[in-house]
Amino acid sequence: MTQADAVASLVERRLGRALDPDLNFFEAGFDSLALVELHEEITGTLGLKLPVTAMFTHPNLRALANLITQGEAPTRQDGGARRRPLGGSRRDVRARIREDGR
């Protein structure tokens, strides 16, 4: 299974159904918090160094898969361990987006 296939599987599992690869994540039913949580799952499971902003600048499965398969999303050197726990409040999520988006 490729990393792009693994991402598609994680997205579809979280959504609970198959997803058209060109359908925008927001149109599919995700909101900002769900995308941040999905980002944490993708980076934690696959060990990718992927900024959280990628979930918004690559807003569908096809675009996200292209980012990953084109080698623009390098593997993290820390073995995929999370840098910090996922914050639950909107303030925490916004701070993470600003921090990761630099």
Side-chain angles (χ1 to χ4, degrees):
M1 177 183 286
T2 67
Q3 286 185 324
D5 291 336
V7 167
S9 177
L10 291 172
V11 169
E12 291 175 358
R13 187 184 63 170
R14 185 168 283 269
L15 193 57
R17 61 180 166 81
L19 182 63
D20 177 337
D22 295 313
L23 184 62
N24 184 290
F25 291 133
F26 288 107
E27 292 173 2
F30 287 102
D31 59 17
S32 297
L33 181 57
L35 285 178
V36 171
E37 291 171 344
L38 177 61
H39 167 266
E40 287 292 324
E41 186 173 7
I42 289 170
T43 57
T45 302
L46 302 179
L48 295 175
K49 183 178 181 183
L50 186 68
V52 71
T53 54
M55 303 303 293
F56 301 91
T57 58
H58 298 79
N60 60 46
L61 274 178
R62 188 176 313 281
L64 194 57
N66 286 339
L67 172 70
I68 292 167
T69 59
Q70 291 174 0
E72 296 174 30
T75 301
R76 293 194 325 212
Q77 299 303 312
D78 62 2
R82 288 185 178 177
R83 290 179 291 166
R84 61 190 173 272
L86 179 63
S89 74
R90 288 180 190 240
R91 180 177 292 148
D92 292 338
V93 170
R94 287 184 186 129
R96 295 224 31 228
I97 290 171
R98 281 192 305 273
E99 193 175 291
D100 287 346
R102 284 189 246 156

